Every structure is written in C-alpha cells, then in structure tokens.
Amino acid sequence: MRRLSQYLVTMVLVLLACRPAEKEPAGAGELELCQVRRTGVALPASVRETSGLALSHRTPGVLWTHNDSGNEPVLFALDTAGVMLGQVRVTGAGLVDWEDLGAGPCEAGTCLFIADIGDNLGLRDSVTIYVVPEPLPTDVETAPTIAFHARYPDGARDAEGVFVLTSGDIYIVSKGGRGPIAIYRFPLTAQIPGTTATLERVRELWPRSSPGLRVTGATISPDGRWVMTRTYRMLFRYSTDELIGGKTALPTEFDLRPLHERQGESVALSDSGDVWLTSEADGRWAAPAFSRLFCRLAN
C-alpha cells in the first residue's frame, strides 16, 4: 500500500508538470518586457467604467478616457499621473457601448476615434466609429463628430480594441469570447458618412480564448511602429509591420497579474515606451485604477 501511494503521488506530480499553460498566443519569449513604475492609483468615480484610453496628439502629457455602456457620451482628460484635468461632452455622438479610443490624423489635423464596438451578445448589425477633432482638456464640448458605420464580413463580433494608423486606416481587434481573436481593417477610403462599409478581415491572432486572455484594449505608438494589445491578464507587444503585413506576428509578452487590476480595460503607448493602463471599478466601493509601466520597444 505504501509503494502504491508513493507511485500515485509521483504520477500526479508528473501530470501537473506536463500540463500546458493557459496561454494561447505563441510569444517571442519570456524576456521581461516592462517595468512597473506605478500601480493602483485610484481614479475618480466619474470614470468607474473606464473602458478606453488614448495618448493626446495635441496636448503633451494628456490622456483621454471614457466610460462604456449606460453612461453619457463624455471624454475625460487625465494627466500622466492619473489626475483628472477635465471632462468634455462629445457633440452629436450616441453611446451604445464605447469600448476603446484611438488618436490619429484627420482633415482637422488630429482627431480622437471613439470605438462604439461593444457587443456582448453578438446582436449588432453594425458598429460605429465616431471621429472628432481632439479637444483641449479645458473645453466644455467637442466640435461635431462624424460617424462612420461598418459591419463585419463574418457576422457580428464583440470587440474592445482599436488602433489608428498614421495613414488614417482604423483597425479593430475582436475580444475572442464568441469566436477567434481577429483583426479587421476599416480603410480610410471606406470611411464615408451615411454608408455602412464592410470591414476587411486581416488575420486571426488566436482561437477563441479563455476569459483571462480576451482582448480588452489595443493601442499603437504615435509613430506607428508598435502595437500593443491587452487582456485581463497579459500585455502583448507587436511590430506593426508584422501584425498587419501578413508576416508571422510573434508578440513579446508581459504578465499583468502582479498589478492586481480588478478588471483591466485599456492601454495607451508613447513612442518612448511609456505605457498607461486603466481598470474598471469592481463592486460598490472599489475605485477605478490607473497604472504606469515602462516597456522596451525593441528586442
């Protein structure tokens, strides 16, 4: 009996050692991508459901965020330490489920691209990107928005990530709850008010994911060279050329679990490698949170 017990214990340990990790993406290695500079900074209750984040292209040292479904169409300005600087109502925009935010070029110079792309139940016939000239943190309301509508080529998708190239092309990253995590392109030439374009499916990143690895935000460096996607548990850095150019796209990974985010939702990136993250509040008394990392942008 003693020998049998020892044998069973040994077999259990072997099986546990051989069990694959719950990590779908094939990463470029386990090198330390980022260093944590600050974490757990409490944000005001006005952004309890912070869902998107973008680094200003107009005002140095400013980040923009917003809430998701069930809230008002308002942008909130933060400084890079997470201090609230102002809030600006978005003129002419609806809010079904705002899930992410990008900054990029437009006819007005620099614009914010508000991604109304959330679809938890997979029921929306189309999604909307609101484009608005970037305001100042001290503004009360924005200039009027332009709404661009689009549908997916392969049926409705829940998505929470968006990034905008310097060319003006918009890319949407699906979440991965009801299907694979995939990237879709909304080319500048198809962004026509009053029409509904069909998005172009660029590539699949990985199959349907476990809850902790569903994509909740995306961002691109202002110079367009690097894209980051985030999940509840992980941060992934890609070369933009590899990610959207048809090449093998192996991300470098960083484990976000030591940040102890309650529900990590957004990410923004600078050209120098500064990364900011926000997390929704969880429960009645828990505040939304803000973190800052510094990440390598070259191997």
Side-chain angles (χ1 to χ4, degrees):
M1 177 65 72
R2 183 175 181 181
R3 290 183 179 178
L4 178 61
S5 298
Q6 291 174 338
Y7 172 78
L8 291 174
V9 169
T10 301
M11 290 303 297
V12 168
L13 292 174
V14 169
L15 289 172
L16 288 173
C18 296
R19 185 176 58 189
E22 186 188 8
K23 184 167 62 176
E24 287 88 343
E30 295 300 326
L31 298 174
E32 193 70 8
L33 172 63
C34 304
Q35 296 176 343
V36 178
R37 294 293 172 83
R38 199 173 184 191
T39 187
V41 177
L43 291 173
S46 54
V47 288
R48 282 186 60 80
E49 297 186 26
T50 171
S51 191
L53 194 66
L55 180 64
S56 172
H57 287 196
R58 181 181 181 185
T59 309
V62 168
L63 295 154
W64 293 99
T65 189
H66 58 76
N67 291 306
D68 57 18
S69 60
N71 291 280
E72 294 296 313
V74 173
L75 295 169
F76 299 86
L78 308 172
D79 71 11
T80 55
V83 176
M84 184 71 71
L85 301 175
Q87 58 185 62
V88 186
R89 178 168 288 272
V90 182
T91 304
L95 195 162
V96 177
D97 193 359
W98 290 7
E99 285 293 351
D100 206 2
L101 184 66
C106 62
E107 290 185 0
T110 177
C111 283
L112 296 178
F113 295 72
I114 305 166
D116 196 337
I117 56 176
D119 190 8
N120 291 331
L121 299 179
L123 299 176
R124 295 178 68 169
D125 293 329
S126 63
V127 294
T128 302
I129 306 292
Y130 293 104
V131 182
V132 61
E134 185 181 340
L136 294 170
T138 52
D139 288 343
V140 175
E141 60 183 13
T142 69
T145 58
I146 299 175
F148 297 119
H149 306 288
R151 63 173 62 90
Y152 295 94
D154 45 4
R157 293 285 184 272
D158 188 23
E160 296 191 8
V162 71
F163 59 93
V164 184
L165 263 60
T166 54
S167 65
D169 289 353
I170 302 167
Y171 286 80
I172 295 172
V173 186
S174 63
K175 188 172 184 178
R178 294 175 172 270
I181 294 174
I183 298 178
Y184 299 85
R185 177 175 175 250
F186 194 168
L188 179 63
T189 54
Q191 297 168 28
I192 304 171
T195 68
T196 301
T198 298
L199 300 172
E200 301 172 5
R201 194 175 192 272
V202 175
R203 73 186 306 158
E204 179 179 314
L205 289 180
W206 61 89
R208 180 175 176 174
S209 269
S210 59
L213 292 173
R214 293 172 186 167
V215 173
T216 60
T219 189
I220 189 168
S221 57
D223 62 13
R225 296 179 59 204
W226 304 97
V227 171
M228 284 185 169
T229 64
R230 68 154 302 160
T231 73
Y232 295 120
R233 295 203 337 247
M234 299 292 292
L235 180 69
F236 300 101
R237 185 206 68 189
Y238 296 88
S239 158
T240 306
D241 289 343
E242 293 179 357
L243 184 64
I244 67 174
K247 303 177 183 178
T248 300
L250 294 178
T252 304
E253 307 170 2
F254 182 72
D255 190 346
L256 294 175
R257 284 173 291 184
L259 302 185
H260 301 295
E261 294 179 302
R262 296 178 182 275
Q263 186 173 318
E265 288 284 342
S266 68
V267 57
L269 170 67
S270 76
D271 286 337
S272 60
D274 290 302
V275 175
W276 299 270
L277 307 161
T278 66
S279 174
E280 282 192 11
D282 180 21
R284 185 175 178 184
W285 305 112
F290 181 86
S291 298
R292 183 173 183 173
L293 314 176
F294 179 77
C295 299
R296 290 181 293 105
L297 293 184
N299 292 325

